[in-house]
């Protein structure tokens, strides 16, 4: 083959399979130099040498984010950073939940500062465009962001151009997604056996009520019916460099994830997601002291939103076929009130399209040698269009009417920052002062429309409101049903002092004063101070003769934060009662208070402390950090029982500043990196975090029973002394084996052989609500991650492990039985079906006196996972140059290929956006294993 032919063949392969140079290991000839460069980390409104940082800040590099098949960049950080728990969503394009050092608020989110713009969602951002990421963990680091950072913050810096010669990168991968650990369900024979057994357990004797296999010839595996293997593909192209005084970085990318829900042919994919993103970063040096720039991001995303059929598939009897063979229509279930999962996935269609434009314009002027003034204006504009179409249900007795709903929303946010900094050295005294002013505005509006009798002809263009009847519409300014337009503003003044003496004694102090439009003038402004200090022991004279430590630093911090983003209302909810007031015998209309509100709801505040030790040994090859943290959050806004409010419908969920939390724990991380010789380099890392979360007080000594419930029996109870989201119910101490055991036990409603035996907690001989107890917490006692990487000649290998321990999951999928739902195979194999057959699993039944919130449904949530495995090969440099390219790397990877756990479900990684219900498995979209092949190209 001629050389030119080989070149074109390889380039074609690259274009198909893809490449990402950012994932490459450091070239061997730069390793020694790299160790001498001082690490710089991003801090609020600036950067700082890692050695001088006195707060708790974790740094993530571009190579930690590249080549991972995750739409959201933060997903790739899972298991990499101590003190940070990331729960990923199995839903394509779904955003993970980030908890930094526990749970500080029940409503707030971790924020991301992307090139100056503050947002709580970075699903629009390609991982390939990120240069570095800093995770701020302690209040002293966060206080400079004040009211926006009470739940933690992540600073993201996107890439810029370097060098005069343009550099092009093409990054791509192609992967297969497969759902793992699919629960085994009973087959038709086993279902009929359990169904008939259930009837017998409930005292049914009529032979016509029992099922016969001859009447139900189908044997459907419903999970297999709705799940499929799917494709994920990502392609990114970037160019970077300089043209005279202009520094530029340009990129475009496209990601497509088909999703694992298998909708019918010709219908939207059910859970598909695709994203187009573009990035332009420019900076221009007008004079020696004046630089201006623009960071521009535009993205378009489309998400198919199937009505998640996973719970229906779990509960659907296998005795039904998806299609009725006699009619050719979707099968209607008569044994149970459940929608046919196949029909639900095929017929219901919903889609969201989002366009987002984020633009940051900035200028920086240096004057009088030591001063720098920076101004930055960032706008974030989001337009979202969504439709939901429910067709006529031909597979049910009363099909009703088709319905189309559309929602068009607009989000307009901006941030205007102004900072003035002064940096001066006085011999060994190094001083840096920062002062700033910031203004933020966030606004949202939605136009809503709905119509009945819209006919869908197979083309989405037919889904128009005007094509239907009974049309209802609202405009942006009037709001919509359950959506009210809003606008809020925050005005901030802040300052910071960084001081060090010879790099040995370190002090950082900051203060921020935030004012928000969400509160009245009486409580509009709050001040958030912070201070931290460090002592670099290794620079002391008495350490000069030692050769063990390259760095030994002790640091401590204290800081305060606030959160104004809480639930609140200003107007009492009232109801009109006809003839509610009487004057003599004549009734007149009256108005009464329906719900009591607290108009004085104020700020949530968090105060945190930590103390840490940092070490670098063996010529900076081994780095160790250990930190103890303790933070208190007060006036957390959420509901409580307020039984003294007579007549109010919200007596059991009165919203106010009700709770105080404490989160404390220990975190440690170890990193070792060394070059064995010119051709071999190895690295090892590990981290561990322990956490104790506790509700330390509740307003008025009250509590709240909330969350998922079955027949009015709630699963969650928020109460002093317990962790957030703790489960509440009856403690199972066994299964009644015979009537003698029932008679010899405490009086228990509905007790019978084969039923759960509940503990008599108060010892009064009666099992009732007073015997409910706390059954476990969804908050892990610990999280950890560790990994190994190696480079041998032109090959590289990396493996990451991650896990949690000490948390519990509530298997609500198992509990919620209303009729003749199916069973999982584990239940079939272990159930009670006669004396001595089981003392842990109850009999098959729908008796609601047995199916109460109890410890049987509380399962171990611990797991150990291989998070990532990747093997790569770099083409020899000489061969790459012969193809007129700088670098070419091929790799294969596996994400989530194996997880060890005991939980009876798809995955123990449960993502609920509601932190109160964070451990309840209720129709959760499963995590997939992803196997990819990719290429990285630089030219």
């Amino acid at each position: 083959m001629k050389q030119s032919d080989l070149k074109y063949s390889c380039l074609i392969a690259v274009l198909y399979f893809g490449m990402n140079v950012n994932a490459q290991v450091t070239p061997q000839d730069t390793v020694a130099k790299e160790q001498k460069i001082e690490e710089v980390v991003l801090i609020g409104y600036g950067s700082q040498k890692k050695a001088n940082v006195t707060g708790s800040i974790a740094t993530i590099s571009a190579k930690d984010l590249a080549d991972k098949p995750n739409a959201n960049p933060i997903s790739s950080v899972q298991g990499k950073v101590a003190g940070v728990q990331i729960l990923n969503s199995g839903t394509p394009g779904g955003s993970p939940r980030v908890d930094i050092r526990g749970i500080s608020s029940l409503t707030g989110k971790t924020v991301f500062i992307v090139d100056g713009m503050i947002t709580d969602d970075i699903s629009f951002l390609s991982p390939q465009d990120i240069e570095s990421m800093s995770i701020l963990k302690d209040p002293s680091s966060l206080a400079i962001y004040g009211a926006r950072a009470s739940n933690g913050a992540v600073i993201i810096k996107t890439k810029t151009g370097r060098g005069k010669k343009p550099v092009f990168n093409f990054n791509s991968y192609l992967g297969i997604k497969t759902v793992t650990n699919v629960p085994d369900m009973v087959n038709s024979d086993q279902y009929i056996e359990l169904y008939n057994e259930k009837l017998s357990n409930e005292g049914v004797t009529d032979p016509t009520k029992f099922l016969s296999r001859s009447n139900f010839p189908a044997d459907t595996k419903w999970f297999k019916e709705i799940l499929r293997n799917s494709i994920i593909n990502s392609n990114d192209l970037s160019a970077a460099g300089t043209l005279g005084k202009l520094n530029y970085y340009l990129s475009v990318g496209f990601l497509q994830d088909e999703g694992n829900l298998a909708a019918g042919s010709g219908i939207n994919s059910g859970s598909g997601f695709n994203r187009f993103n573009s990035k332009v970063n420019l900076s221009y040096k007008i004079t020696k002291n004046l630089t201006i720039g623009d960071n521009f991001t535009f993205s378009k995303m489309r998400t198919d939103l199937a009505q998640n059929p996973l719970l229906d598939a779990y509960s659907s009897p296998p005795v039904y076929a998806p299609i009725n063979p006699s009619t050719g229509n979707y099968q209607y279930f008569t044994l149970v009130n459940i929608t046919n999962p196949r029909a639900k996935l095929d017929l219901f269609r919903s889609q969201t399209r989002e366009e987002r434009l984020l633009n940051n314009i900035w200028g920086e002027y240096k004057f009088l040698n030591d001063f720098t003034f920076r101004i930055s204006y960032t706008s974030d504009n989001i337009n979202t269009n969504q439709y939901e179409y429910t067709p006529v249900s031909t597979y049910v007795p009363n099909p009703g009417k088709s319905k189309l709903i559309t929602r068009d929303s607009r989000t307009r946010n901006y941030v205007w920052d102004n900072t003035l900094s002064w940096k001066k050295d006085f011999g060994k005294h190094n001083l840096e002062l920062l002062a700033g002013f910031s203004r933020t505005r966030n606004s949202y509006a939605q136009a809503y429309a709905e119509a009945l009798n819209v006919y869908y002809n197979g083309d989405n263009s037919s889904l128009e409101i005007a094509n239907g009847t009974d049309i209802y519409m609202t405009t942006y300014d009037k709001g919509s049903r359950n959506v009210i337009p809003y606008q809020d503003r925050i005005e901030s003044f802040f300052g910071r002092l960084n001081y060090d003496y010879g790099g040995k004694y370190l002090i950082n102090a900051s203060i921020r004063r935030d004012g928000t439009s969400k509160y009245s003038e009486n409580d509009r402004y709050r001040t958030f101070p912070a201070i931290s200090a460090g002592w670099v022991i290794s620079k002391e004279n008495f350490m000069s003769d030692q050769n063990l430590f390259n760095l030994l630093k002790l640091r401590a911090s204290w800081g305060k934060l606030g959160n104004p983003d809480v639930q609140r209302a200003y107007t009492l909810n009232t109801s009109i009662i006809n003839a509610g007031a009487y004057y003599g015998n004549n009734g007149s209309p009256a108005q009464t208070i329906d719900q009591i509100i607290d108009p004085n709801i104020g700020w949530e505040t968090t105060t945190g402390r930590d103390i840490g030790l940092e070490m670098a040994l063996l010529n900076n090859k081994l780095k160790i950090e250990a930190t103890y943290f303790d933070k208190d959050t007060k006036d957390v806004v959420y509901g409580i029982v307020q039984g003294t409010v007579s007549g109010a419908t919200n007596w059991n969920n009165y919203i106010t500043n009700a709770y105080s939390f404490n989160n404390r724990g220990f975190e440690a991380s170890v990193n070792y990196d060394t070059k064995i010789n010119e051709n071999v380099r190895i690295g090892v890392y590990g981290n561990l975090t322990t956490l104790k979360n506790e509700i330390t007080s509740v307003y008025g000594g009250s509590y709240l029973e909330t969350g998922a419930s079955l027949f009015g029996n709630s699963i969650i109870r928020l109460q002093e002394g317990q962790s957030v989201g703790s489960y509440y119910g009856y403690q199972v101490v066994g299964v009644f084996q015979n009537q003698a055991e029932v008679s010899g036990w405490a009086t228990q409603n509905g007790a019978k052989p084969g039923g759960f035996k509940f503990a008599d907690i108060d010892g009064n001989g009666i099992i009732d609500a007073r015997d409910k107890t706390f059954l476990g917490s969804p908050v892990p006692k610990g999280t950890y991650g560790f990994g190994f990487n190696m480079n041998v000649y032109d090959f590289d290998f990396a493996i990451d492990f991650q896990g949690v321990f000490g948390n519990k999951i509530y298997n609500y999928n198992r509990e919620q039985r209303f009729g003749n739902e199916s069973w999982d195979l584990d239940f079939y194999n272990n159930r009670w079906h006669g004396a001595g057959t089981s003392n842990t699993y109850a009999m098959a039944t729908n008796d609601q006196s047995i199916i109460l919130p109890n410890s049987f449904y509380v399962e171990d949530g611990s797991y150990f996972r291989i998070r990532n495995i990747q093997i790569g090969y770099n083409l020899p440099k000489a061969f790459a140059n012969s193809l007129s390219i700088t670098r070419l790397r091929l790799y294969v990877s596996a994400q989530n290929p194996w997880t060890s756990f005991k939980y009876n479900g798809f995955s123990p990684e449960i993502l609920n956006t509601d932190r109160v219900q964070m451990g309840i498995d209720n129709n959760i979209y499963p995590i997939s294993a992803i196997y990819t092949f990719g290429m990285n190209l630089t030219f």
Side-chain angles (χ1 to χ4, degrees):
M1 180 182 289
K2 291 189 293 186
Q3 187 179 39
S4 59
D5 292 335
L6 177 62
K7 180 190 301 184
Y8 292 128
S9 298
C10 288
L11 287 176
I12 291 172
V14 168
L15 291 173
Y16 182 74
F17 290 108
M19 178 169 192
N20 174 8
V21 70
N22 298 316
Q24 299 311 299
V25 296
T26 304
Q28 294 174 352
D29 58 356
T30 65
V31 170
K33 297 177 182 178
E34 182 187 68
Q35 292 182 343
K36 298 178 182 179
I37 298 175
E38 288 195 80
E39 184 180 357
V40 175
V41 301
L42 300 174
I43 61 175
Y45 303 99
S47 60
Q48 192 176 18
K49 293 179 182 179
K50 172 65 175 174
N52 291 344
V53 171
T54 52
S56 240
I57 302 177
T59 302
I60 305 296
S61 65
K63 70 177 182 179
D64 292 316
L65 306 174
D67 296 342
K68 306 297 191 302
N70 299 308
N72 196 301
I74 199 68
S75 295
S76 300
V77 183
Q78 187 180 45
K80 297 275 189 179
V81 179
V84 180
Q85 184 186 15
I86 295 174
L87 289 166
N88 282 310
S89 169
T91 307
S95 297
R97 196 183 81 219
V98 182
D99 291 329
I100 298 177
R101 291 184 172 177
I103 301 165
S104 298
S105 172
L106 299 179
T107 56
K109 296 181 179 180
T110 296
V111 296
F112 302 87
I113 298 95
V114 183
D115 294 329
M117 183 65 209
I118 298 180
T119 179
D120 59 13
D121 180 25
I122 56 170
S123 57
F124 68 93
L125 187 63
S126 171
Q128 306 296 343
D129 290 332
I130 296 177
E131 181 175 291
S132 64
M133 179 186 293
S134 287
I135 302 177
L136 312 184
K137 297 188 287 184
D138 69 311
S140 74
S141 301
L142 293 163
I144 196 69
Y145 288 113
R148 301 306 306 272
S150 62
N151 287 277
V154 179
I155 304 177
I156 295 175
K157 183 180 185 299
T158 57
K159 293 176 180 177
T160 58
R162 293 186 179 89
K164 295 182 179 181
K165 183 179 178 181
V167 176
F168 297 90
N169 294 318
F170 180 68
N171 315 310
S172 176
Y173 60 78
L174 182 68
I176 297 177
K177 296 181 64 177
T178 180
V179 178
T180 58
N181 306 306
V182 178
D184 293 321
M185 305 301 294
V186 295
N187 60 30
S188 289
D189 290 325
Q190 294 162 336
Y191 174 83
I192 291 174
E193 179 184 354
L194 288 173
Y195 182 94
N196 292 335
E197 190 176 295
K198 177 175 66 71
L199 292 182
S200 297
N201 292 335
E202 294 171 354
V204 177
T205 58
D206 184 353
T208 62
K209 301 292 185 181
F210 291 80
L211 300 185
S212 170
R213 187 73 168 91
S214 60
N215 294 328
F216 294 92
D219 190 6
T220 302
K221 298 182 186 308
W222 285 108
F223 282 132
K224 186 176 181 180
E225 186 68 29
I226 66 168
L227 295 175
R228 66 174 180 185
N229 292 334
S230 62
I231 299 297
I232 182 171
N233 177 240
S234 176
N235 300 276
D236 291 89
L237 177 65
S238 67
T242 58
L243 290 172
K245 296 181 179 181
L246 177 68
N247 179 297
Y248 64 88
Y249 173 82
L250 315 171
S251 75
V252 292
F254 183 76
L255 171 73
Q256 183 175 21
D257 186 344
E258 292 181 344
N260 291 114
L261 292 181
S265 177
I267 306 173
N268 64 23
S269 66
S271 59
F273 171 80
N274 63 49
R275 178 185 66 205
F276 167 80
N277 55 270
S278 60
K279 182 74 178 166
V280 179
N281 285 350
L282 304 172
S283 64
Y284 186 78
K285 200 172 188 65
I286 298 177
T287 67
K288 179 181 178 182
N289 296 325
L290 178 61
T291 305
I292 61 173
D294 183 45
N295 300 318
F296 173 91
T297 303
F298 176 74
S299 66
K300 294 182 68 174
M301 294 184 287
R302 192 200 78 185
T303 307
D304 295 327
L305 303 170
Q307 281 188 337
N308 192 344
L310 288 165
L311 180 58
D312 290 332
Y314 184 91
S315 301
S316 292
V319 296
Y320 292 106
I323 304 296
N324 188 327
S326 61
T327 64
N329 295 325
Y330 292 105
Q331 179 67 60
Y332 167 60
F333 298 166
T334 57
L335 293 174
V336 64
N337 186 23
I338 294 174
T339 302
N340 182 327
R342 175 78 271 158
K344 187 176 187 178
L345 187 55
D346 287 353
L347 298 180
F348 175 85
R349 49 189 51 79
S350 178
Q351 193 175 92
T352 296
R353 293 177 180 269
E354 177 184 294
E355 292 186 356
R356 186 168 188 175
L357 192 156
L358 190 149
N359 194 41
N360 168 241
I361 304 172
W362 58 272
E364 188 173 271
Y365 180 62
K366 299 181 179 179
F367 60 99
L368 300 178
N369 296 325
D370 305 317
F371 290 88
T372 301
F373 175 73
R374 183 181 177 91
I375 184 171
S376 170
Y377 180 86
T378 308
S379 60
D380 186 10
N381 299 322
I382 307 171
N383 292 333
T384 304
N385 308 106
Q386 180 182 350
Y387 74 82
E388 299 174 10
Y389 180 68
T390 305
V392 176
S393 302
T394 57
Y395 55 94
V396 297
N398 300 307
K401 300 176 181 180
S402 63
K403 186 174 184 178
L404 175 65
I405 296 174
T406 64
R407 297 179 176 91
D408 297 332
S409 61
R410 297 174 181 172
T411 302
R412 301 290 183 264
N413 304 327
Y414 83 76
V415 177
W416 180 37
D417 288 329
N418 304 266
T419 59
L420 177 65
S421 62
W422 177 61
K423 188 174 183 179
K424 187 71 175 178
D425 299 337
F426 304 93
K428 291 186 176 182
H429 299 275
N430 305 302
L431 182 64
E432 182 177 1
L433 298 176
L434 173 77
F437 168 77
S438 179
R439 179 170 287 170
T440 301
R441 186 186 70 188
N442 302 307
S443 61
Y444 176 84
Q446 183 186 104
Y448 175 95
E450 67 177 45
L452 301 179
N453 298 314
V454 176
Y455 173 70
Y456 175 64
N457 63 8
D459 186 342
N460 281 357
S461 63
S462 64
L463 297 178
E464 293 289 344
I465 293 294
N467 295 337
T469 64
D470 302 280
I471 297 174
Y472 170 84
M473 303 180 72
T474 65
T475 59
Y476 288 105
D477 57 335
K478 293 182 179 179
S480 65
R481 297 183 179 181
N482 300 320
V483 177
I484 301 174
Y486 71 82
Q487 182 180 110
D488 60 72
R489 297 172 301 279
I490 295 178
E491 184 178 75
S492 309
F493 303 88
F494 53 90
R496 180 175 62 212
L497 175 150
N498 282 326
Y499 168 80
D500 74 85
Y501 177 77
K504 186 189 306 183
Y505 308 115
L506 317 169
I507 294 177
N508 173 289
S510 67
I511 189 167
R512 180 166 176 136
R513 184 164 176 80
D514 282 323
T516 175
S517 62
K518 292 187 175 183
Y519 296 134
S520 64
E521 293 184 3
N522 295 332
D523 194 26
R524 178 161 294 174
Y525 284 89
R526 286 291 179 98
T527 301
F528 306 108
I531 188 168
S532 59
W535 176 27
V536 183
I537 305 171
S538 54
K539 288 192 174 183
E540 292 288 356
N541 292 334
F542 61 80
M543 297 286 288
S544 60
D545 294 332
Q546 61 85 32
N547 296 314
L548 178 61
F549 294 102
N550 302 104
L551 173 69
L552 179 61
K553 180 171 70 175
L554 182 67
R555 54 177 171 77
S557 70
W558 174 92
K560 192 171 184 179
L561 300 164
N563 175 31
D565 297 324
V566 297
Q567 303 178 64
R568 62 176 299 137
Y570 295 95
T571 306
L572 289 174
N573 291 330
T574 61
S575 296
I576 302 295
I577 303 175
N578 293 325
Y582 280 84
Y583 300 92
N585 295 323
N586 299 319
S588 301
Q591 190 172 15
T592 184
I593 295 173
D594 180 60
Q595 292 188 3
I596 298 294
I597 60 113
D598 181 0
N600 299 314
I601 289 176
W603 293 73
E604 296 178 349
T605 59
T606 297
T607 303
R609 304 152 289 275
D610 76 358
I611 184 168
L613 183 67
E614 297 180 20
M615 293 179 283
L617 306 91
L618 306 177
N619 196 24
N620 288 314
K621 295 177 181 178
L622 176 63
K623 296 180 180 180
I624 302 172
E625 290 192 29
T627 305
Y628 174 79
F629 62 89
D630 186 350
K631 65 178 181 179
D632 293 300
T633 304
K634 296 183 178 181
D635 297 321
V636 175
V637 178
Y638 211 71
I640 55 170
V641 171
Q642 185 79 344
T644 58
V645 181
S646 176
T649 58
N650 65 330
W651 66 270
N652 60 344
N653 190 21
Y654 173 69
I655 308 296
T656 187
N657 292 103
Y659 297 89
S660 294
F661 300 157
N662 176 262
N663 293 276
R664 61 184 182 274
F666 174 81
E667 59 186 43
S669 63
V670 179
N671 290 272
Y672 179 77
D673 185 82
T674 186
K675 180 181 177 182
I676 305 300
N677 56 45
E678 290 300 318
N679 298 306
V680 179
R681 185 171 183 172
I682 62 171
V684 179
Y685 78 90
N687 63 78
L688 170 68
T689 304
T690 65
L691 176 67
K692 180 175 176 55
N693 169 267
E694 183 181 356
I695 300 173
T696 53
S697 68
V698 184
Y699 177 77
S702 188
Y703 63 91
L704 179 68
E705 292 189 359
T706 185
S709 64
L710 192 68
F711 298 100
N713 296 292
S714 298
I715 293 171
I716 302 295
R717 185 172 171 120
L718 300 178
Q719 183 174 303
E720 183 178 341
Q722 303 297 321
S723 297
V724 173
S726 292
Y727 315 121
Y728 191 69
Y730 295 95
Q731 181 68 49
V732 174
V733 292
V735 175
F736 292 114
Q737 300 298 317
N738 49 51
Q739 188 58 43
E741 284 195 14
V742 174
S743 301
W745 193 248
T747 302
Q748 180 176 322
N749 182 39
K752 63 178 68 174
F756 286 127
K757 183 190 297 184
F758 297 141
D760 184 12
I761 299 295
D762 62 4
N764 67 354
I766 300 174
I767 306 298
D768 55 22
R770 292 170 292 184
D771 294 301
K772 287 185 177 181
T773 187
F774 287 95
L775 304 173
S777 166
V779 180
K781 293 181 180 178
T783 61
Y784 60 90
F786 61 94
F788 170 80
N789 60 81
M790 176 175 61
N791 300 290
V792 180
Y793 291 89
D794 295 320
F795 290 90
D796 59 85
F797 169 79
I799 185 168
D800 299 310
F801 302 91
Q802 173 259 332
V804 305
F805 60 89
N807 62 308
K808 300 294 183 180
I809 297 172
Y810 198 95
N811 195 335
Y812 192 58
N813 294 329
R814 263 188 168 180
E815 183 189 11
Q816 49 187 322
R817 300 189 61 82
F818 303 93
N820 300 316
E821 292 85 357
S822 189
W823 293 268
D824 58 63
L825 188 60
D826 176 73
F827 176 84
Y828 174 83
N829 291 331
N830 296 285
R831 76 193 187 281
W832 184 94
H833 54 284
T837 54
S838 177
N839 197 40
T840 53
Y841 285 57
M843 62 183 172
T845 184
N846 284 339
D847 188 342
Q848 296 305 315
S849 65
I850 296 175
I851 308 175
L852 290 169
N854 64 67
S855 59
F856 173 76
Y857 303 107
V858 178
E859 301 186 32
D860 187 359
S862 303
Y863 70 87
F864 172 68
R865 171 181 291 157
I866 298 178
R867 176 61 177 156
N868 283 291
I869 305 175
Q870 188 170 118
I871 301 173
Y873 172 69
N874 292 276
L875 266 65
K877 188 174 181 179
F879 181 60
N881 290 339
S882 71
L883 301 176
S884 300
I885 59 178
T886 304
R887 199 165 197 175
L888 178 61
R889 175 177 177 260
L890 309 170
Y891 69 89
V892 293
S893 71
Q895 181 169 282
N896 305 324
W898 177 82
T899 305
S900 174
F901 61 94
K902 298 178 180 179
Y903 175 64
N904 287 291
F906 279 102
S907 168
E909 187 171 356
I910 306 297
L911 174 58
N912 271 312
T913 54
D914 181 359
R915 280 183 169 86
V916 174
Q917 301 190 71
M918 59 186 152
I920 297 178
D921 187 358
N922 181 20
N923 207 25
I924 300 298
Y925 197 102
I927 301 291
S928 297
I930 308 176
Y931 304 93
T932 58
F933 178 82
M935 286 185 175
N936 310 136
L937 173 66
T938 304
F939 56 98

